[in-house]
Amino acid sequence: MGLLAIASAKGSPGVTTTAMLFAALWPRPSVMVECDPSGGDVALRMPGADGERLDANPGLLSLVAAGRKSLYPALVAEHSEQIVGGLDVITGMTAPEQAAGLGQWGQLGALFANLPANDAIVDLGRIGAETPQNAMLASASAVVMVVDTVPSSVVHLRERLRKVSDSLGGASGAPLYVVVVAPPKRSRAVGEIRDAIDRSGTTVEAVRHLAADTSGASFFLGQVSGNPSRTHLVRSAQPIVDEIAGRTVGSFLPSDREPSDTEAAS
């Protein structure tokens, strides 16, 4: 049981795609959760396991409504769906206005970090100084910040990394990774971003290169034909996922049985 939080500091460098990709490649049982207050995309882009369109309900909002008195692990299975390929997902809000009354962000972090038989790969979207989903970072086993090579995005990332690192306890806290989305042959740009982060003095576990690959990303946009394992995207992601999963293995403590609702709520 552990929570891998995936976020960005600016723009849309592909946080949702990265979260689905990492969850699909994760070596332990996992559930991908959309916790982006600006609205979720999975129900709009991905078909269900039966090939039909996903229903936005059940999802995060129905889970919170059902657990308004107490959030407990059994609710996660009740409010998740399977997308094509077999990945379990909890779809997010369909509009930013729906996030206004959702005040349980800290409790959601604790819930997803303590599932008895699954890790949670959580899409936090863009995080800033006052974004409410920041409260979930305190429960993270590891955090991945996704960035592209646009200079302004890198500047925003450097500033946000300091705050995220502080919330994780700095060098002694949960590991903080940076994943740079860049074309397969742009490793030099990735090195330059790594150097910029090093100069900022912020402690990060690693800076890794995730290939910007249209054909690979299409699998996570609902165009599920062909062999994703042969794409630059998946091949570049696998060693990153293996590294992070190995680094957080101590956070995953499988249980032989699911707790009853009464046990979980007590």
Side-chain angles (χ1 to χ4, degrees):
M1 55 183 181
L3 188 160
L4 173 62
I6 301 180
S8 71
K10 185 179 186 293
S12 302
V15 174
T16 300
T17 296
T18 302
M20 285 197 290
L21 171 64
F22 279 25
L25 298 177
W26 202 247
R28 305 188 288 263
S30 66
V31 57
M32 183 268 177
V33 189
E34 281 192 291
C35 289
D36 184 351
S38 66
D41 296 326
V42 173
L44 300 175
R45 60 163 84 168
M46 296 300 297
D50 58 1
E52 299 296 322
R53 183 173 179 176
L54 278 182
D55 189 348
N57 188 23
L60 186 67
L61 284 179
S62 66
L63 185 154
V64 170
R68 59 188 178 277
K69 293 184 179 180
S70 177
L71 288 169
Y72 50 91
L75 289 173
V76 173
E78 295 172 8
H79 295 269
S80 64
E81 299 178 87
Q82 273 198 355
I83 60 175
V84 62
L87 177 63
D88 291 322
V89 300
I90 295 179
T91 56
M93 292 155 277
T94 56
E97 292 78 12
Q98 294 176 324
L102 202 162
Q104 296 100 318
W105 293 103
Q107 294 97 311
L108 284 170
L111 171 69
F112 293 129
N114 290 283
L115 300 178
N118 293 85
D119 283 348
I121 315 299
V122 180
D123 168 12
L124 295 184
R126 185 187 65 82
I127 58 175
E130 298 181 358
T131 45
Q133 71 272 34
N134 292 7
M136 300 183 71
L137 294 173
S139 299
S141 304
V143 175
V144 173
M145 295 295 294
V146 184
V147 68
D148 55 27
T149 57
V150 176
S152 61
S153 298
V154 178
V155 172
H156 281 275
L157 171 71
R158 287 177 57 184
E159 296 303 313
R160 187 52 38 205
L161 281 175
R162 295 189 184 99
K163 300 297 184 182
V164 173
S165 179
D166 289 346
S167 70
L168 298 175
S172 62
L176 175 59
Y177 290 82
V178 173
V179 167
V180 182
V181 179
K185 296 183 180 180
R186 288 291 303 278
S187 58
R188 180 176 178 180
V190 177
E192 291 171 350
I193 292 173
R194 182 183 295 111
D195 292 342
I197 293 170
D198 288 344
R199 289 194 299 271
S200 73
T202 302
T203 300
V204 298
E205 188 76 12
V207 179
R208 298 290 183 246
H209 181 190
L210 183 65
D213 172 21
T214 302
S215 61
S218 68
F219 288 94
F220 302 96
L221 294 171
Q223 301 167 29
V224 287
S225 60
N227 184 353
S229 65
R230 301 176 66 177
T231 64
H232 288 294
L233 178 66
V234 172
R235 285 189 291 175
S236 66
Q238 189 67 70
I240 303 173
V241 170
D242 291 344
E243 178 181 356
I244 298 173
R247 180 68 170 77
T248 59
V249 67
S251 299
F252 183 72
L253 303 172
S255 172
D256 292 334
R257 65 182 181 87
E258 294 280 343
S260 68
D261 291 358
T262 303
E263 290 175 325
S266 62

